[in-house]
């Protein structure tokens, strides 16, 4: 085939759709589009015919039927008399909670391990290498089952904490009790409770939570304004004013005042009868899933962080040391800010993987989106196609939200070319 562009004044012929490069790419795109649409139409039509042959239709009305099953851990009020829609929302919130906590913990663990792997202490660096190689080379499902077995088989029953000389003692300053049924942690108490705001649908929010959100968001924007002002002064005079103590005060003093005003304090769990009370009893399914996701994803993040740090030229460290910076300041002020440009893009993929891997919660009975909509609801209603399609859409939306948020952060830290 040869390219033979014709003069502009030559009349159009059908053969030009193939032999003229001005039209050829458009011709191929139209053909591919028609083939894709034909495949999609065939799939949809085939699905509709198969559903009709089985006496089914495509309807989401099942979401407004009575669920009829209980969910152990519910972030919002829920009973078995609620609709499948509310059960789905509870499962979605459980997915979001374990994903957010997993991302935070895995990031802290991964950054720490990644930096530690570059330690000059031979034994310490090798121990971190062993951790990374063990956790990232064994499937996550096996880690979930192993940790679940440890919690159910090794941890004691709540009665082991009974008596003046108990067989087991609480950990972390006598605040956390590990048992074979749940993990008891402290709860927050208030001596000056301001009451709650009713949002409808049996959902309430304590005014104290709203107050903390307001002061934290306000403090964040105030901090941004202070930094912008400091940058403007530096651009005008060449001298940057000291702002760290102002930023620290803006971010912490309002919150401390609210803690004092509301009288916030910790309510340690205490054994009351056969179970712990006074605190929060987290189901072991949630704790196991969160721990497994953290340890597994943290190993991958550690390698990403190590690779990002090694990508920074060694001359940067030598220049920082020549200026008199200590190793910790060199890492925080010179190495990590440059390494973030390399770390952030693969880190987005790890956050997405962690969120999707949370669907393995079904292995330990944690009622996330997969356990509610894709589990009990699907089995009770027989609406497998609708449930799977809805789950795919929800996971897709969650993934796009995570990607959008991380891409915004990536655009803020990437190299600014002039």
């Amino acid at each position: 085939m040869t390219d033979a562009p014709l003069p502009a004044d030559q009349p159009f012929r059908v053969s030009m759709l193939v032999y003229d490069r001005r039209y050829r790419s458009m011709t191929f795109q139209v053909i591919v589009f028609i083939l894709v649409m034909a495949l999609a139409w065939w799939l949809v039509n085939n699905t509709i015919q198969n559903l009709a042959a089985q006496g089914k239709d495509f309807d989401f009305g099942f979401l407004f039927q009575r669920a009829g099953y209980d969910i152990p851990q519910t972030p919002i009020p829920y009973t078995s008399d609620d609709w499948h829609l509310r059960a789905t929302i509870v499962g979605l919130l459980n997915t979001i909670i374990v994903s957010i906590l997993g991302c935070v913990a895995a990031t802290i663990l991964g950054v720490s391990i990644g930096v530690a792997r570059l330690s000059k202490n031979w034994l310490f660096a090798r121990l971190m290498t062993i951790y990374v190689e063990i956790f990232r080379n064994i499937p996550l499902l096996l880690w979930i089952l192993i940790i679940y077995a440890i919690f159910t088989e090794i941890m004691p029953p709540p009665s082991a904490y009974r008596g003046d000389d108990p067989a087991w003692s609480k950990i972390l300053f006598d605040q956390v009790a590990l048992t074979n049924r749940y993990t008891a942690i402290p709860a927050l108490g208030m001596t000056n409770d301001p009451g709650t705001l009713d949002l409808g649908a049996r959902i309430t929010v304590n005014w104290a939570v709203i107050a903390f959100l307001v002061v934290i968001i306000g403090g964040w924007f105030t901090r941004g304004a202070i930094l912008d002002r400091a940058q403007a002064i530096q651009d005008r005079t060449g001298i940057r004013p000291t702002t760290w103590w102002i930023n620290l005060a803006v971010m912490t003093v309002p919150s401390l005042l609210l803690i004092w005003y509301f009288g916030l304090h910790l309510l340690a769990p205490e054994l009351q009868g056969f179970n712990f009370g006074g605190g929060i009893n987290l189901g072991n399914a949630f704790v196991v899933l969160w721990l497994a996701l953290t340890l597994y994803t943290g190993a991958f993040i550690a390698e990403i962080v190590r690779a990002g740090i090694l990508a920074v030229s060694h001359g940067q460290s030598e220049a920082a040391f020549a200026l008199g910076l200590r190793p910790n300041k060199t890492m925080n002020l010179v190495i990590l800010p440059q390494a973030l440009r390399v770390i952030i893009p693969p880190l987005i993929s790890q956050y997405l993987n962690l969120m999707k891997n949370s669907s393995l919660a079904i292995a330990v009975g944690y009622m996330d989106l997969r356990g509610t909509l894709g589990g009990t609801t699907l089995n009770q209603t027989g609406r497998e196609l609708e449930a799977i399609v809805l789950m795919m859409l929800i996971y897709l939306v969650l993934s796009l939200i995570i990607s959008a948020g991380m891409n915004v952060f990536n655009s803020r830290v990437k190299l600014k070319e002039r």
Side-chain angles (χ1 to χ4, degrees):
M1 185 181 297
T2 58
D3 294 332
L6 301 175
D9 56 349
Q10 187 166 351
F12 176 79
R13 301 192 305 274
V14 177
S15 60
M16 295 170 64
L17 294 175
V18 176
Y19 295 107
D20 192 333
R21 61 184 178 186
R22 292 177 298 176
Y23 304 106
R24 188 186 307 154
S25 62
M26 185 180 299
T27 302
F28 289 153
Q29 291 181 56
V30 170
I31 293 173
V32 170
F33 177 77
I34 292 174
L35 291 176
V36 170
M37 289 297 103
L39 177 62
W41 177 86
W42 179 81
L43 288 174
V44 173
N45 184 60
N46 186 272
T47 302
I48 293 174
Q49 290 183 359
N50 286 329
L51 287 174
Q54 298 179 11
K56 293 183 177 181
D57 56 359
F58 192 75
D59 184 13
F60 288 98
F62 72 94
L63 291 173
F64 303 99
Q65 298 174 2
R66 180 178 177 272
Y69 62 91
D70 294 322
I71 299 177
Q73 186 167 332
T74 57
I76 60 174
Y78 169 82
T79 67
S80 58
D81 291 327
D82 286 317
W83 293 341
H84 285 291
L85 177 62
R86 195 173 184 93
T88 301
I89 294 174
V90 171
L92 173 61
L93 292 176
N94 283 338
T95 295
I96 293 174
I97 290 173
V98 76
S99 298
I100 292 176
L101 294 179
C103 287
V104 172
T107 302
I108 296 173
L109 179 66
V111 171
S112 303
I113 299 295
V115 174
R117 280 204 67 188
L118 300 173
S119 171
K120 294 180 180 178
N121 186 313
W122 185 88
L123 178 61
F124 190 52
R126 293 304 178 275
L127 288 176
M128 296 301 104
T129 302
I130 292 173
Y131 158 77
V132 170
E133 296 301 332
I134 287 179
F135 274 92
R136 74 172 181 172
N137 290 311
I138 295 178
L140 174 60
L141 179 59
L142 293 182
W143 282 119
I144 293 175
L145 296 177
I146 290 171
I147 298 175
Y148 188 71
I150 293 174
F151 268 75
T152 56
E153 301 297 331
I154 297 179
M155 296 302 167
S159 59
Y161 293 87
R162 190 189 308 280
D164 296 332
D165 187 19
W168 282 70
S169 300
K170 290 185 285 187
I171 60 175
L172 297 179
F173 306 104
D174 208 27
Q175 297 292 319
V176 177
L178 302 174
T179 75
N180 58 0
R181 298 208 301 265
Y182 53 78
T183 300
I185 64 173
L188 280 177
M190 285 184 289
T191 56
N192 185 21
D193 193 337
T196 58
L197 173 65
D198 189 358
L199 299 178
R202 308 200 323 267
I203 300 174
T204 58
V205 179
N206 195 291
W207 281 105
V209 175
I210 298 175
F212 274 101
L213 288 177
V214 169
V215 299
I216 291 174
I217 295 174
W220 180 263
F221 282 105
T222 305
R223 171 183 171 275
I226 293 172
L227 291 178
D228 291 341
R229 179 176 177 275
Q231 185 64 43
I233 294 175
Q234 182 179 4
D235 294 340
R236 188 172 63 253
T237 64
I239 301 174
R240 187 178 184 85
T242 302
T243 59
W244 67 266
W245 63 272
I246 302 176
N247 291 330
L248 182 64
V250 166
M251 294 298 294
T252 59
V253 170
S255 297
L256 293 175
L257 289 176
L258 287 179
I259 291 174
W260 169 79
Y261 176 77
F262 293 125
L264 285 180
H265 58 278
L266 291 178
L267 297 173
E270 298 293 342
L271 191 61
Q272 300 173 357
F274 294 101
N275 287 295
F276 279 93
I280 300 175
N281 295 337
L282 297 175
N284 275 346
F286 167 77
V287 178
V288 166
L289 180 65
W290 169 75
L291 195 57
L293 289 172
T294 299
L295 293 173
Y296 182 78
T297 310
F300 288 91
I301 293 178
E303 284 300 275
I304 293 172
V305 171
R306 187 176 71 93
I309 293 174
L310 291 177
V312 178
S313 171
H314 189 62
Q316 298 285 332
S317 303
E318 294 177 341
F321 293 146
L323 291 174
L325 292 180
R326 295 178 180 274
N328 60 340
K329 285 188 174 295
T330 300
M331 178 62 69
N332 294 331
L333 301 177
V334 178
I335 304 300
L336 281 181
Q338 298 183 73
L340 280 177
R341 300 174 193 138
V342 181
I343 293 173
I344 295 300
L347 193 62
I348 298 174
S349 299
Q350 292 306 318
Y351 288 163
L352 295 177
N353 289 337
L354 188 146
M355 188 271 296
K356 290 179 288 188
N357 286 338
S358 67
S359 61
L360 292 174
I362 195 70
V364 290
Y366 180 64
M367 296 296 281
D368 67 336
L369 183 65
R370 171 68 180 85
T372 54
L373 177 62
T376 309
T377 294
L378 186 152
N379 292 327
Q380 285 188 357
T381 62
R383 293 287 180 176
E384 63 278 355
L385 182 60
E386 292 89 338
I388 295 297
V389 169
L390 193 55
M391 268 200 308
M392 292 173 63
L393 290 176
I394 292 174
Y395 278 118
L396 176 63
V397 170
L398 290 178
S399 298
L400 292 177
I401 291 174
I402 294 174
S403 295
M406 292 301 295
N407 284 329
V408 170
F409 179 68
N410 186 38
S411 65
R412 292 174 63 91
V413 301
K414 72 178 182 181
L415 184 64
K416 304 295 189 301
E417 297 182 356
R418 298 179 185 279

